[in-house]
Amino acid sequence: MKKINKKGFTLIELLAVIVVLAVVMLIAVTAVVPMMDRARKQAFITETIVLVEGAESYFLYKEMTGTPLAEEECITLDQIIGQYVDEKGKSDYKGTVRRRKEGTDVIYEISVSDGKNYYIDGERIEYLQNSDENIVHPISEAEDLNPDYDSCD
């Protein structure tokens, strides 16, 4: 009689290992995807804050040079990027920053879209600085998204 070589794994054992690995991967992916989405939203908010600071610099420059400002002013992000904000990466962001006076207070509102994932529509800057993720909306849910985000009209 010949001896049978019993080295190695059976097909059932290999399939069991594959199933266990698949379950572990599924658990890992469902935990990581929401964290990635939150990170993207935070990055969008942070980049938007930088754009708003560029707009504030623009309006401050106008005031310092003696250019009178109206009660309500508007600037597009295209006017800010490059001159008041570093243009690394050639941002796809489109939008406007509106500045208006309410008594002695100056209110800044922004409407911006990154062109791919998210948009913010007419929100006050204070909400951005508090990192309120509820003001960031996915573009896929935007039925009434203004196509003229880069217009002050």
Side-chain angles (χ1 to χ4, degrees):
M1 241 171 133
K2 286 187 175 181
K3 267 190 169 177
I4 299 176
N5 189 359
K6 292 201 173 206
K7 292 180 182 175
F9 298 103
T10 65
L11 184 58
I12 298 297
E13 291 170 331
L14 292 173
L15 286 175
V17 168
I18 290 172
V19 167
V20 168
L21 289 174
V23 168
V24 169
M25 291 270 297
L26 182 66
I27 292 170
V29 167
T30 56
V32 169
V33 168
M35 286 190 290
M36 289 175 51
D37 189 47
R38 275 195 305 276
R40 282 190 196 108
K41 280 184 179 179
Q42 275 307 128
F44 179 65
I45 289 172
T46 302
E47 291 172 356
T48 301
I49 289 171
V50 169
L51 293 171
V52 169
E53 289 171 351
E56 289 172 338
S57 296
Y58 167 79
F59 292 120
L60 183 61
Y61 177 77
K62 280 182 77 171
E63 280 183 317
M64 291 177 68
T65 57
T67 306
L69 293 173
E71 287 295 310
E72 186 169 324
E73 294 266 341
C74 179
I75 185 171
T76 66
L77 298 184
D78 286 338
Q79 292 172 288
I80 299 169
I81 295 172
Q83 187 170 0
Y84 296 94
V85 176
D86 191 14
E87 58 182 316
K88 287 183 181 172
K90 298 288 185 185
S91 173
D92 290 332
Y93 284 42
K94 297 287 182 197
T96 58
V97 177
R98 294 187 184 280
R99 176 194 181 273
R100 62 184 159 82
K101 286 191 173 182
E102 286 185 2
T104 58
D105 295 332
V106 176
I107 307 296
Y108 289 93
E109 294 177 341
I110 188 161
S111 296
V112 63
S113 168
D114 67 357
K116 296 174 271 184
N117 300 309
Y118 302 110
Y119 73 97
I120 296 173
D121 192 16
E123 295 291 343
R124 290 173 62 147
I125 303 313
E126 298 84 41
Y127 301 133
L128 285 176
Q129 292 165 338
N130 294 330
S131 297
D132 185 358
E133 292 182 23
N134 295 326
I135 64 170
V136 178
H137 308 287
I139 286 181
S140 59
E141 295 177 5
E143 296 172 7
D144 300 333
L145 184 60
N146 182 359
D148 297 325
Y149 257 49
D150 56 345
S151 173
C152 282
D153 298 329

mmCIF file with all atom_site columns, all heavy atoms in Angstrom, residues 33-45:
data_model
loop_
_atom_site.group_PDB
_atom_site.id
_atom_site.type_symbol
_atom_site.label_atom_id
_atom_site.label_alt_id
_atom_site.label_comp_id
_atom_site.label_asym_id
_atom_site.label_entity_id
_atom_site.label_seq_id
_atom_site.pdbx_PDB_ins_code
_atom_site.Cartn_x
_atom_site.Cartn_y
_atom_site.Cartn_z
_atom_site.occupancy
_atom_site.B_iso_or_equiv
_atom_site.pdbx_formal_charge
_atom_site.auth_seq_id
_atom_site.auth_comp_id
_atom_site.auth_asym_id
_atom_site.auth_atom_id
_atom_site.pdbx_PDB_model_num
ATOM 1   N N   . VAL A 1 33 ? -15.129 54.333 6.314  1.00 0.00 ? 33 VAL A N   1
ATOM 2   C CA  . VAL A 1 33 ? -15.781 55.216 5.336  1.00 0.00 ? 33 VAL A CA  1
ATOM 3   C C   . VAL A 1 33 ? -16.413 56.450 5.994  1.00 0.00 ? 33 VAL A C   1
ATOM 4   O O   . VAL A 1 33 ? -16.206 57.567 5.509  1.00 0.00 ? 33 VAL A O   1
ATOM 5   C CB  . VAL A 1 33 ? -16.799 54.433 4.479  1.00 0.00 ? 33 VAL A CB  1
ATOM 6   C CG1 . VAL A 1 33 ? -17.678 55.367 3.671  1.00 0.00 ? 33 VAL A CG1 1
ATOM 7   C CG2 . VAL A 1 33 ? -16.060 53.470 3.564  1.00 0.00 ? 33 VAL A CG2 1
ATOM 8   N N   . PRO A 1 34 ? -17.174 56.328 7.097  1.00 0.00 ? 34 PRO A N   1
ATOM 9   C CA  . PRO A 1 34 ? -17.706 57.546 7.719  1.00 0.00 ? 34 PRO A CA  1
ATOM 10  C C   . PRO A 1 34 ? -16.609 58.487 8.224  1.00 0.00 ? 34 PRO A C   1
ATOM 11  O O   . PRO A 1 34 ? -16.756 59.716 8.147  1.00 0.00 ? 34 PRO A O   1
ATOM 12  C CB  . PRO A 1 34 ? -18.546 57.024 8.891  1.00 0.00 ? 34 PRO A CB  1
ATOM 13  C CG  . PRO A 1 34 ? -18.895 55.635 8.511  1.00 0.00 ? 34 PRO A CG  1
ATOM 14  C CD  . PRO A 1 34 ? -17.727 55.128 7.724  1.00 0.00 ? 34 PRO A CD  1
ATOM 15  N N   . MET A 1 35 ? -15.506 57.943 8.718  1.00 0.00 ? 35 MET A N   1
ATOM 16  C CA  . MET A 1 35 ? -14.403 58.791 9.161  1.00 0.00 ? 35 MET A CA  1
ATOM 17  C C   . MET A 1 35 ? -13.797 59.548 7.991  1.00 0.00 ? 35 MET A C   1
ATOM 18  O O   . MET A 1 35 ? -13.437 60.720 8.117  1.00 0.00 ? 35 MET A O   1
ATOM 19  C CB  . MET A 1 35 ? -13.323 57.949 9.855  1.00 0.00 ? 35 MET A CB  1
ATOM 20  C CG  . MET A 1 35 ? -13.729 57.490 11.241 1.00 0.00 ? 35 MET A CG  1
ATOM 21  S SD  . MET A 1 35 ? -12.381 56.748 12.156 1.00 0.00 ? 35 MET A SD  1
ATOM 22  C CE  . MET A 1 35 ? -12.128 55.221 11.282 1.00 0.00 ? 35 MET A CE  1
ATOM 23  N N   . MET A 1 36 ? -13.700 58.911 6.847  1.00 0.00 ? 36 MET A N   1
ATOM 24  C CA  . MET A 1 36 ? -13.161 59.573 5.663  1.00 0.00 ? 36 MET A CA  1
ATOM 25  C C   . MET A 1 36 ? -14.086 60.708 5.215  1.00 0.00 ? 36 MET A C   1
ATOM 26  O O   . MET A 1 36 ? -13.620 61.777 4.824  1.00 0.00 ? 36 MET A O   1
ATOM 27  C CB  . MET A 1 36 ? -12.950 58.564 4.535  1.00 0.00 ? 36 MET A CB  1
ATOM 28  C CG  . MET A 1 36 ? -11.794 57.620 4.788  1.00 0.00 ? 36 MET A CG  1
ATOM 29  S SD  . MET A 1 36 ? -11.620 56.314 3.544  1.00 0.00 ? 36 MET A SD  1
ATOM 30  C CE  . MET A 1 36 ? -11.645 57.190 2.030  1.00 0.00 ? 36 MET A CE  1
ATOM 31  N N   . ASP A 1 37 ? -15.395 60.483 5.271  1.00 0.00 ? 37 ASP A N   1
ATOM 32  C CA  . ASP A 1 37 ? -16.346 61.513 4.877  1.00 0.00 ? 37 ASP A CA  1
ATOM 33  C C   . ASP A 1 37 ? -16.255 62.720 5.812  1.00 0.00 ? 37 ASP A C   1
ATOM 34  O O   . ASP A 1 37 ? -16.253 63.868 5.359  1.00 0.00 ? 37 ASP A O   1
ATOM 35  C CB  . ASP A 1 37 ? -17.767 60.948 4.865  1.00 0.00 ? 37 ASP A CB  1
ATOM 36  C CG  . ASP A 1 37 ? -18.755 61.912 4.246  1.00 0.00 ? 37 ASP A CG  1
ATOM 37  O OD1 . ASP A 1 37 ? -18.447 62.453 3.162  1.00 0.00 ? 37 ASP A OD1 1
ATOM 38  O OD2 . ASP A 1 37 ? -19.824 62.128 4.843  1.00 0.00 ? 37 ASP A OD2 1
ATOM 39  N N   . ARG A 1 38 ? -16.165 62.467 7.121  1.00 0.00 ? 38 ARG A N   1
ATOM 40  C CA  . ARG A 1 38 ? -16.009 63.569 8.076  1.00 0.00 ? 38 ARG A CA  1
ATOM 41  C C   . ARG A 1 38 ? -14.713 64.330 7.820  1.00 0.00 ? 38 ARG A C   1
ATOM 42  O O   . ARG A 1 38 ? -14.677 65.561 7.905  1.00 0.00 ? 38 ARG A O   1
ATOM 43  C CB  . ARG A 1 38 ? -16.032 63.037 9.510  1.00 0.00 ? 38 ARG A CB  1
ATOM 44  C CG  . ARG A 1 38 ? -17.425 62.866 10.070 1.00 0.00 ? 38 ARG A CG  1
ATOM 45  C CD  . ARG A 1 38 ? -17.418 62.686 11.574 1.00 0.00 ? 38 ARG A CD  1
ATOM 46  N NE  . ARG A 1 38 ? -16.578 61.609 12.058 1.00 0.00 ? 38 ARG A NE  1
ATOM 47  C CZ  . ARG A 1 38 ? -16.923 60.332 12.132 1.00 0.00 ? 38 ARG A CZ  1
ATOM 48  N NH1 . ARG A 1 38 ? -18.128 59.965 11.723 1.00 0.00 ? 38 ARG A NH1 1
ATOM 49  N NH2 . ARG A 1 38 ? -16.101 59.428 12.609 1.00 0.00 ? 38 ARG A NH2 1
ATOM 50  N N   . ALA A 1 39 ? -13.653 63.620 7.493  1.00 0.00 ? 39 ALA A N   1
ATOM 51  C CA  . ALA A 1 39 ? -12.365 64.274 7.218  1.00 0.00 ? 39 ALA A CA  1
ATOM 52  C C   . ALA A 1 39 ? -12.455 65.146 5.965  1.00 0.00 ? 39 ALA A C   1
ATOM 53  O O   . ALA A 1 39 ? -11.915 66.265 5.929  1.00 0.00 ? 39 ALA A O   1
ATOM 54  C CB  . ALA A 1 39 ? -11.265 63.237 7.066  1.00 0.00 ? 39 ALA A CB  1
ATOM 55  N N   . ARG A 1 40 ? -13.145 64.660 4.942  1.00 0.00 ? 40 ARG A N   1
ATOM 56  C CA  . ARG A 1 40 ? -13.322 65.469 3.722  1.00 0.00 ? 40 ARG A CA  1
ATOM 57  C C   . ARG A 1 40 ? -14.130 66.732 4.009  1.00 0.00 ? 40 ARG A C   1
ATOM 58  O O   . ARG A 1 40 ? -13.822 67.811 3.506  1.00 0.00 ? 40 ARG A O   1
ATOM 59  C CB  . ARG A 1 40 ? -14.019 64.648 2.643  1.00 0.00 ? 40 ARG A CB  1
ATOM 60  C CG  . ARG A 1 40 ? -13.110 63.682 1.946  1.00 0.00 ? 40 ARG A CG  1
ATOM 61  C CD  . ARG A 1 40 ? -13.796 63.072 0.722  1.00 0.00 ? 40 ARG A CD  1
ATOM 62  N NE  . ARG A 1 40 ? -13.077 61.906 0.288  1.00 0.00 ? 40 ARG A NE  1
ATOM 63  C CZ  . ARG A 1 40 ? -13.497 60.659 0.439  1.00 0.00 ? 40 ARG A CZ  1
ATOM 64  N NH1 . ARG A 1 40 ? -14.667 60.409 0.997  1.00 0.00 ? 40 ARG A NH1 1
ATOM 65  N NH2 . ARG A 1 40 ? -12.781 59.645 0.019  1.00 0.00 ? 40 ARG A NH2 1
ATOM 66  N N   . LYS A 1 41 ? -15.199 66.595 4.815  1.00 0.00 ? 41 LYS A N   1
ATOM 67  C CA  . LYS A 1 41 ? -16.001 67.769 5.174  1.00 0.00 ? 41 LYS A CA  1
ATOM 68  C C   . LYS A 1 41 ? -15.165 68.775 5.949  1.00 0.00 ? 41 LYS A C   1
ATOM 69  O O   . LYS A 1 41 ? -15.242 69.975 5.703  1.00 0.00 ? 41 LYS A O   1
ATOM 70  C CB  . LYS A 1 41 ? -17.214 67.353 6.014  1.00 0.00 ? 41 LYS A CB  1
ATOM 71  C CG  . LYS A 1 41 ? -18.356 66.808 5.216  1.00 0.00 ? 41 LYS A CG  1
ATOM 72  C CD  . LYS A 1 41 ? -19.536 66.522 6.107  1.00 0.00 ? 41 LYS A CD  1
ATOM 73  C CE  . LYS A 1 41 ? -20.707 66.002 5.308  1.00 0.00 ? 41 LYS A CE  1
ATOM 74  N NZ  . LYS A 1 41 ? -21.868 65.698 6.163  1.00 0.00 ? 41 LYS A NZ  1
ATOM 75  N N   . GLN A 1 42 ? -14.371 68.293 6.902  1.00 0.00 ? 42 GLN A N   1
ATOM 76  C CA  . GLN A 1 42 ? -13.522 69.195 7.689  1.00 0.00 ? 42 GLN A CA  1
ATOM 77  C C   . GLN A 1 42 ? -12.501 69.891 6.795  1.00 0.00 ? 42 GLN A C   1
ATOM 78  O O   . GLN A 1 42 ? -12.221 71.075 6.977  1.00 0.00 ? 42 GLN A O   1
ATOM 79  C CB  . GLN A 1 42 ? -12.820 68.436 8.811  1.00 0.00 ? 42 GLN A CB  1
ATOM 80  C CG  . GLN A 1 42 ? -13.627 68.270 10.069 1.00 0.00 ? 42 GLN A CG  1
ATOM 81  C CD  . GLN A 1 42 ? -14.180 69.562 10.614 1.00 0.00 ? 42 GLN A CD  1
ATOM 82  O OE1 . GLN A 1 42 ? -15.365 69.626 10.855 1.00 0.00 ? 42 GLN A OE1 1
ATOM 83  N NE2 . GLN A 1 42 ? -13.388 70.579 10.824 1.00 0.00 ? 42 GLN A NE2 1
ATOM 84  N N   . ALA A 1 43 ? -11.941 69.166 5.839  1.00 0.00 ? 43 ALA A N   1
ATOM 85  C CA  . ALA A 1 43 ? -10.988 69.776 4.909  1.00 0.00 ? 43 ALA A CA  1
ATOM 86  C C   . ALA A 1 43 ? -11.684 70.853 4.074  1.00 0.00 ? 43 ALA A C   1
ATOM 87  O O   . ALA A 1 43 ? -11.122 71.932 3.843  1.00 0.00 ? 43 ALA A O   1
ATOM 88  C CB  . ALA A 1 43 ? -10.368 68.716 4.012  1.00 0.00 ? 43 ALA A CB  1
ATOM 89  N N   . PHE A 1 44 ? -12.897 70.578 3.627  1.00 0.00 ? 44 PHE A N   1
ATOM 90  C CA  . PHE A 1 44 ? -13.676 71.556 2.856  1.00 0.00 ? 44 PHE A CA  1
ATOM 91  C C   . PHE A 1 44 ? -13.939 72.803 3.694  1.00 0.00 ? 44 PHE A C   1
ATOM 92  O O   . PHE A 1 44 ? -13.766 73.929 3.221  1.00 0.00 ? 44 PHE A O   1
ATOM 93  C CB  . PHE A 1 44 ? -14.986 70.917 2.395  1.00 0.00 ? 44 PHE A CB  1
ATOM 94  C CG  . PHE A 1 44 ? -15.879 71.838 1.623  1.00 0.00 ? 44 PHE A CG  1
ATOM 95  C CD1 . PHE A 1 44 ? -15.501 72.332 0.392  1.00 0.00 ? 44 PHE A CD1 1
ATOM 96  C CD2 . PHE A 1 44 ? -17.119 72.205 2.124  1.00 0.00 ? 44 PHE A CD2 1
ATOM 97  C CE1 . PHE A 1 44 ? -16.331 73.174 -0.335 1.00 0.00 ? 44 PHE A CE1 1
ATOM 98  C CE2 . PHE A 1 44 ? -17.951 73.044 1.419  1.00 0.00 ? 44 PHE A CE2 1
ATOM 99  C CZ  . PHE A 1 44 ? -17.558 73.531 0.186  1.00 0.00 ? 44 PHE A CZ  1
ATOM 100 N N   . ILE A 1 45 ? -14.331 72.623 4.963  1.00 0.00 ? 45 ILE A N   1
ATOM 101 C CA  . ILE A 1 45 ? -14.581 73.758 5.846  1.00 0.00 ? 45 ILE A CA  1
ATOM 102 C C   . ILE A 1 45 ? -13.302 74.556 6.050  1.00 0.00 ? 45 ILE A C   1
ATOM 103 O O   . ILE A 1 45 ? -13.306 75.789 5.975  1.00 0.00 ? 45 ILE A O   1
ATOM 104 C CB  . ILE A 1 45 ? -15.164 73.278 7.195  1.00 0.00 ? 45 ILE A CB  1
ATOM 105 C CG1 . ILE A 1 45 ? -16.601 72.790 6.995  1.00 0.00 ? 45 ILE A CG1 1
ATOM 106 C CG2 . ILE A 1 45 ? -15.116 74.388 8.238  1.00 0.00 ? 45 ILE A CG2 1
ATOM 107 C CD1 . ILE A 1 45 ? -17.200 72.112 8.216  1.00 0.00 ? 45 ILE A CD1 1
#
